[in-house]
């Protein structure tokens, strides 16, 4: 992740936080933070549902952002995009890169509501689910064949991110929720990326996954069952109805 992206990430997080709204990193930049190689096509954050429009309006003060001029045809809001679209977005001026805001109910719905204390981030205010983007004790450094990893000071101290086990849990739950769709296929790819680039390198504490998801992840990782059977049992465990059409 180039220095300029790190500066944008910190600036956007600081702007949202200045309105006393918590936000946590998401999307391509979060993947890079955990070492997963990913081209930066967007800079995304998750915020509380009720703060979506307030955050959007607050970001309008950043001179390097501009509103989308063609929502219907914009790739960021397209109904055919393979990844979940943000609730609202801006564009970086003179760039194809977007800035997206996602609501918690569509991304990290399984976690407690984002606490207002996260708008003044410090190690003392973080729960077990989150980490400062500058924390070298948790996040990986840059390594050959991997993405940039930890964001250095001072920018990294301004940004809160989900820990790797939370990102893995989100991917598994997203797959269970949306299997049989483009988004479900994306989520399965995310699980594979987390396994190859993060877990295999020792940067996921799998023991922090809920017991039922830990078991399902282990079964998938070890190839113990056909994916169709694994998917059905995963959805059953999470109380998500399953139909034959989900295999289409």
């Amino acid at each position: 992740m180039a220095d300029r992206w790190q500066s944008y990430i910190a600036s956007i997080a600081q702007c949202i936080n200045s309105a006393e709204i918590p936000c946590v990193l998401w999307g391509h930049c979060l993947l890079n933070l955990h070492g997963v190689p990913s081209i930066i096509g967007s800079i995304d954050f998750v915020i509380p549902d009720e703060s979506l429009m307030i955050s959007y309006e607050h970001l309008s003060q950043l001179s390097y952002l501009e509103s989308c001029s063609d929502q219907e045809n914009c790739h960021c809001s397209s109904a055919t995009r393979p990844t979940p679209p943000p609730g609202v977005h801006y564009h970086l001026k003179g760039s194809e890169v977007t800035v997206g805001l996602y609501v918690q109910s569509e991304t990290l719905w399984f976690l407690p509501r984002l606490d207002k204390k996260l708008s003044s981030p410090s190690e003392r205010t973080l729960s077990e689910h989150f980490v400062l983007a500058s924390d070298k004790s948790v996040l990986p450094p840059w390594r050959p064949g991997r993405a940039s990893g930890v964001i250095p000071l001072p920018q990294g101290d301004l940004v809160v991110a989900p820990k790797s086990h939370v990102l893995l849990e989100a991917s598994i739950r997203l797959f269970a929720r949306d299997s049989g769709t483009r988004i479900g296929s994306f989520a399965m790819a995310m699980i594979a990326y987390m396994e190859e680039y993060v877990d295999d390198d020792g940067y996921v504490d799998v023991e922090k996954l809920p017991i039922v998801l830990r078991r399902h992840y282990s079964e998938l990782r070890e190839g113990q069952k056909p994916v169709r059977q694994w998917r059905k049992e995963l959805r059953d465990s999470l109380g998500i109805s399953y139909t034959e059409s989900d295999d289409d």
Side-chain angles (χ1 to χ4, degrees):
M1 195 187 320
D3 289 347
R4 65 185 180 119
W5 299 131
Q6 296 173 0
S7 296
Y8 282 134
I9 291 167
S11 172
I12 293 165
Q14 191 172 31
C15 181
I16 296 172
N17 289 162
S18 69
E20 298 187 332
I21 296 171
C23 64
V24 297
L25 194 62
W26 195 244
H28 298 158
C29 296
L30 180 59
L31 290 175
N32 271 226
L33 188 70
H34 287 297
V36 180
S38 179
I39 296 173
I40 303 298
S42 61
I43 300 172
D44 301 319
F45 287 88
V46 174
I47 58 172
D49 291 40
E50 69 276 10
S51 300
L52 179 65
M53 294 314 300
I54 298 174
S55 300
Y56 179 77
E57 292 167 3
H58 214 68
L59 287 177
S60 66
Q61 64 187 275
L62 297 178
S63 61
Y64 54 82
L65 297 183
E66 60 184 1
S67 300
C68 183
S69 60
D70 189 3
Q71 292 276 356
E72 290 187 3
N73 297 307
C74 180
H75 67 90
C76 187
S77 52
S78 170
T80 62
R81 60 178 278 164
T83 59
V88 294
H89 72 276
Y90 281 98
H91 292 260
L92 286 181
K93 290 181 179 178
S95 169
E96 293 295 318
V97 174
T98 57
V99 173
L101 298 180
Y102 288 78
V103 293
Q104 184 178 359
S105 63
E106 292 294 323
T107 50
L108 298 171
W109 68 90
F110 52 91
L111 294 183
R113 183 179 179 277
L114 294 178
D115 195 306
K116 187 177 180 179
K117 290 187 295 185
L118 291 175
S119 62
S120 299
S122 72
E123 290 185 7
R124 295 188 304 276
T125 62
L126 297 183
S127 72
E128 63 177 342
H129 307 299
F130 302 112
V131 62
L132 291 178
S134 60
D135 193 338
K136 296 179 180 180
S137 70
V138 175
L139 298 167
W142 176 85
R143 295 148 295 149
R146 300 294 185 264
S148 57
V150 65
I151 297 177
L153 297 171
Q155 291 98 330
D157 260 7
L158 301 172
V159 181
V160 176
K163 289 183 177 179
S164 57
H165 72 275
V166 174
L167 178 55
L168 176 58
E169 180 175 353
S171 301
I172 295 171
R173 288 182 181 274
L174 190 64
F175 172 75
R177 188 188 72 181
D178 294 329
S179 64
T181 70
R182 288 188 301 274
I183 292 175
S185 297
F186 158 76
M188 177 56 84
M190 284 289 298
I191 297 170
Y193 295 152
M194 291 297 294
E195 176 185 338
E196 178 179 358
Y197 294 108
V198 190
D199 192 11
D200 282 355
D201 287 358
Y203 285 99
V204 177
D205 188 350
V206 177
E207 293 301 309
K208 290 186 177 179
L209 288 173
I211 293 175
V212 65
L213 294 186
R214 191 189 316 159
R215 172 172 59 82
H216 286 298
Y217 174 64
S218 176
E219 291 172 349
L220 179 67
R221 181 176 170 82
E222 296 173 14
Q224 295 179 1
K225 298 176 181 178
V227 172
R228 181 175 178 178
Q229 177 186 351
W230 178 84
R231 172 172 48 189
K232 181 180 185 304
E233 292 177 1
L234 170 65
R235 295 186 67 153
D236 286 345
S237 295
L238 295 175
I240 299 173
S241 60
Y242 181 92
T243 64
E244 292 299 321
S245 62
D246 290 325
D247 292 323
D248 295 341

mmCIF file of all heavy atoms in Angstrom, residues 52 82 118 138 205-206 212 215:
data_model
loop_
_atom_site.group_PDB
_atom_site.id
_atom_site.type_symbol
_atom_site.label_atom_id
_atom_site.label_comp_id
_atom_site.label_asym_id
_atom_site.label_seq_id
_atom_site.Cartn_x
_atom_site.Cartn_y
_atom_site.Cartn_z
ATOM 1 N N LEU A 52 -24.705 6.844 8.645
ATOM 2 C CA LEU A 52 -24.314 6.791 7.233
ATOM 3 C C LEU A 52 -24.331 8.165 6.577
ATOM 4 O O LEU A 52 -23.318 8.627 6.033
ATOM 5 C CB LEU A 52 -25.228 5.829 6.466
ATOM 6 C CG LEU A 52 -24.934 5.692 4.969
ATOM 7 C CD1 LEU A 52 -23.553 5.068 4.754
ATOM 8 C CD2 LEU A 52 -26.004 4.836 4.287
ATOM 9 N N PRO A 82 -19.165 -7.726 -8.430
ATOM 10 C CA PRO A 82 -19.036 -9.004 -7.726
ATOM 11 C C PRO A 82 -18.916 -8.877 -6.214
ATOM 12 O O PRO A 82 -19.028 -9.871 -5.500
ATOM 13 C CB PRO A 82 -17.748 -9.590 -8.317
ATOM 14 C CG PRO A 82 -16.947 -8.386 -8.709
ATOM 15 C CD PRO A 82 -17.947 -7.373 -9.181
ATOM 16 N N LEU A 118 -14.530 4.411 19.802
ATOM 17 C CA LEU A 118 -13.639 4.154 18.670
ATOM 18 C C LEU A 118 -13.349 5.411 17.858
ATOM 19 O O LEU A 118 -12.434 5.428 17.044
ATOM 20 C CB LEU A 118 -14.242 3.082 17.752
ATOM 21 C CG LEU A 118 -14.307 1.661 18.300
ATOM 22 C CD1 LEU A 118 -15.032 0.763 17.315
ATOM 23 C CD2 LEU A 118 -12.913 1.133 18.589
ATOM 24 N N VAL A 138 0.611 -7.126 16.230
ATOM 25 C CA VAL A 138 -0.524 -7.906 15.738
ATOM 26 C C VAL A 138 -0.499 -8.047 14.217
ATOM 27 O O VAL A 138 -0.754 -9.126 13.679
ATOM 28 C CB VAL A 138 -1.860 -7.261 16.178
ATOM 29 C CG1 VAL A 138 -3.049 -8.000 15.570
ATOM 30 C CG2 VAL A 138 -1.970 -7.227 17.695
ATOM 31 N N ASP A 205 -5.504 -15.818 14.547
ATOM 32 C CA ASP A 205 -5.733 -16.595 15.772
ATOM 33 C C ASP A 205 -7.080 -17.296 15.621
ATOM 34 O O ASP A 205 -8.118 -16.777 16.025
ATOM 35 C CB ASP A 205 -5.736 -15.675 16.994
ATOM 36 C CG ASP A 205 -5.781 -16.461 18.307
ATOM 37 O OD1 ASP A 205 -6.007 -17.691 18.248
ATOM 38 O OD2 ASP A 205 -5.618 -15.841 19.372
ATOM 39 N N VAL A 206 -7.038 -18.476 15.021
ATOM 40 C CA VAL A 206 -8.267 -19.221 14.715
ATOM 41 C C VAL A 206 -9.035 -19.556 15.991
ATOM 42 O O VAL A 206 -10.264 -19.699 15.962
ATOM 43 C CB VAL A 206 -7.930 -20.494 13.911
ATOM 44 C CG1 VAL A 206 -9.185 -21.322 13.651
ATOM 45 C CG2 VAL A 206 -7.278 -20.124 12.582
ATOM 46 N N VAL A 212 -18.307 -22.984 16.594
ATOM 47 C CA VAL A 212 -18.951 -23.620 15.445
ATOM 48 C C VAL A 212 -18.275 -23.207 14.142
ATOM 49 O O VAL A 212 -18.076 -24.036 13.238
ATOM 50 C CB VAL A 212 -20.468 -23.293 15.420
ATOM 51 C CG1 VAL A 212 -20.719 -21.807 15.206
ATOM 52 C CG2 VAL A 212 -21.168 -24.110 14.334
ATOM 53 N N ARG A 215 -14.861 -24.924 13.720
ATOM 54 C CA ARG A 215 -14.987 -26.301 13.224
ATOM 55 C C ARG A 215 -15.221 -26.322 11.717
ATOM 56 O O ARG A 215 -14.569 -27.077 10.986
ATOM 57 C CB ARG A 215 -16.129 -27.021 13.955
ATOM 58 C CG ARG A 215 -16.463 -28.400 13.378
ATOM 59 C CD ARG A 215 -17.448 -29.143 14.256
ATOM 60 N NE ARG A 215 -18.694 -28.415 14.434
ATOM 61 C CZ ARG A 215 -19.700 -28.423 13.551
ATOM 62 N NH1 ARG A 215 -19.573 -29.113 12.423
ATOM 63 N NH2 ARG A 215 -20.815 -27.762 13.801
#
